[in-house]
Amino acid sequence: MTDFIPKLTAQYFQLVELQQLALPPGHVIIQPAVQAALYERMFNENAVFPIPPDSYRSRVLKQIISRIEESITNPEEDEINDDLMESWSTLVSQPKPSALQQAQQLSLVKYTAPTSSAGISSECTVITSESRGLILSAGTTGNRTWEAALHLGSFLASKAGEALVRGKRVIELGAGTGFLSLLCARHLGVRSVVVTDREPMLIDNIRDCVKHNLNGLPSIPIYPAVWEWGTPLAKEGNLAGLGSDEGEEGTGLRFDVALGADLIYDTDLVPILLSTVRDLFENYHIKEFIIASTVRNENTFRTFLNACETNSFAAEALPFESTQPEDQTGFFHSTSIPIRTYRISRAK
């Protein structure tokens, strides 16, 4: 009876588009126990966190109520849950922000890992701060978690993916919302993760989101830092305490694994990205770079792979495919455009 609810609630807190929501079928959603569960797990403001934006909540609730109304066969017995109706009345009476205000509003978004994920808690969630319609002054769209990050997150939450980062010193490039780094720090057992982006506002958002991902822990090993590619990543501020292991030469920052998602969207970025990757191998001692990319332009992606070969890097395609959207149980994302994952290492 309630098998439909976990997926719908996970989609709801991820603010999945309405047309993708897995609403229970009519013979299920008409049941009083199901409606009560939907209220408690989605619309009871005293019991849920984070609370999605009012505009999204009202649209979802309208769809749920419409589905219930369509499913009524016996008006004397079938009815809509009072708490759901009260929530609907409250939401529709709220003043409606303009489209511009909605686009600029930061909202907490909760991502739930796929239920098939091996080795991690069944309560594996990541909370980010996003404004999906906001483009920052530098033209970045880093205020939302894109498909390649959700694809890579699904891989890292698998047994094979987790093995690549557990116990490792990780650095993430172009982190945007910090979704991958927060996942690593809270659930995947990394020794540390330095989460970087060029935009100070994004790093501030990530730093502010850490408290929402503690889940009772005093701290998690995540270190946000602004990093402009092509410049040194200084061992200062909250990075000053990251030391080298016994027997390792030098006193600078060292990492084992680098992560990146959706970094290859313009051929003009390939040279500086490759220069940064070379810098990570030569000066920060990484052993491998795991990168996921939505292949919007095959030529752009081919340019990156060719540049890897020219720079004596081996690019190994990882055999991980995203589950089709209708079968996904968490980290929901579109697969309409191919997403590829590669492991970059020094050529032997």
Side-chain angles (χ1 to χ4, degrees):
M1 177 180 66
T2 57
D3 292 347
F4 297 91
I5 295 177
K7 180 172 181 176
L8 177 59
T9 55
Q11 290 177 322
Y12 171 73
F13 288 109
Q14 191 182 309
L15 310 188
V16 169
E17 294 294 334
L18 265 64
Q19 59 268 29
Q20 268 88 52
L21 292 178
L23 291 183
H27 71 280
V28 173
I29 204 168
I30 198 65
Q31 298 175 39
V34 172
Q35 294 183 40
L38 290 175
Y39 170 74
E40 287 298 331
R41 296 182 62 172
M42 297 172 65
F43 299 102
N44 183 353
E45 296 185 16
N46 296 318
V48 304
F49 182 84
I51 298 174
D54 285 351
S55 58
Y56 181 77
R57 297 171 66 212
S58 63
R59 287 186 291 130
V60 174
L61 185 51
K62 180 180 180 180
Q63 197 171 76
I64 289 173
I65 291 174
S66 295
R67 173 66 59 89
I68 297 172
E69 290 175 336
E70 294 167 0
S71 307
I72 292 176
T73 58
N74 186 340
E76 294 184 1
E77 293 186 7
D78 299 335
E79 57 184 19
I80 302 174
N81 178 278
D82 289 342
D83 289 325
L84 289 178
M85 290 305 299
E86 184 176 345
S87 295
W88 170 247
S89 299
T90 300
L91 285 169
V92 296
S93 66
Q94 299 297 318
K96 292 179 173 56
S98 68
L100 179 60
Q101 288 173 321
Q102 290 184 48
Q104 294 176 333
Q105 179 185 6
L106 280 172
S107 303
L108 294 179
V109 182
K110 181 166 69 174
Y111 295 88
T112 301
T115 55
S116 58
S117 299
I120 61 176
S121 167
S122 59
E123 296 298 317
C124 174
T125 60
V126 174
I127 295 177
T128 62
S129 177
E130 305 191 19
S131 177
R132 296 179 177 177
L134 180 63
I135 298 178
L136 300 181
S137 58
T140 180
T141 53
N143 256 68
R144 65 172 296 167
T145 300
W146 293 91
E147 281 77 7
L150 294 165
H151 170 94
L152 184 51
S154 298
F155 169 64
L156 292 174
S158 71
K159 186 175 181 179
E162 183 189 7
L164 294 177
V165 296
R166 179 165 290 279
K168 304 290 182 61
R169 297 166 293 188
V170 179
I171 180 170
E172 183 184 2
L173 309 184
T177 66
F179 164 77
L180 289 171
S181 290
L182 289 164
L183 172 65
C184 287
R186 179 61 184 87
H187 299 287
L188 301 184
V190 299
R191 174 174 164 182
S192 63
V193 56
V194 172
V195 51
T196 71
D197 200 282
R198 63 177 294 185
E199 286 285 345
M201 174 186 167
L202 295 176
I203 293 302
D204 288 342
N205 285 345
I206 294 169
R207 188 176 288 114
D208 188 59
C209 272
V210 171
K211 64 178 179 286
H212 299 306
N213 290 275
L214 296 178
N215 301 111
L217 296 176
S219 64
I220 54 177
I222 187 169
Y223 303 87
V226 176
W227 189 26
E228 184 81 35
W229 294 353
T231 67
L233 180 59
K235 189 177 179 180
E236 59 186 25
N238 66 337
L239 303 186
L242 293 176
S244 301
D245 286 339
E246 185 177 348
E248 291 181 336
E249 296 181 1
T251 57
L253 291 168
R254 301 179 74 101
F255 305 102
D256 303 302
V257 182
L259 301 175
D262 252 339
L263 304 178
I264 311 164
Y265 52 86
D266 189 330
T267 53
D268 292 341
L269 293 174
V270 171
I272 186 64
L273 175 58
L274 259 293
S275 175
T276 301
V277 172
R278 190 185 309 110
D279 189 27
L280 285 168
F281 276 96
E282 293 178 355
N283 298 315
Y284 299 93
H285 313 286
I286 68 168
K287 301 296 188 293
E288 53 191 3
F289 176 33
I290 310 299
I291 184 169
S293 181
T294 303
V295 186
R296 299 179 181 88
N297 185 310
E298 188 69 44
N299 290 333
T300 301
F301 195 72
R302 177 52 53 187
T303 297
F304 170 73
L305 294 179
N306 290 340
C308 285
E309 184 177 358
T310 301
N311 285 270
S312 300
F313 291 117
E316 172 196 358
L318 296 177
F320 178 78
E321 297 290 339
S322 284
T323 305
Q324 289 302 303
E326 61 271 18
D327 297 320
Q328 292 173 5
T329 56
F331 294 169
F332 303 99
H333 60 282
S334 171
T335 60
S336 59
I337 302 176
I339 304 173
R340 297 180 189 166
T341 308
Y342 277 79
R343 185 206 315 253
I344 310 299
S345 59
R346 288 186 182 275
K348 297 180 180 179

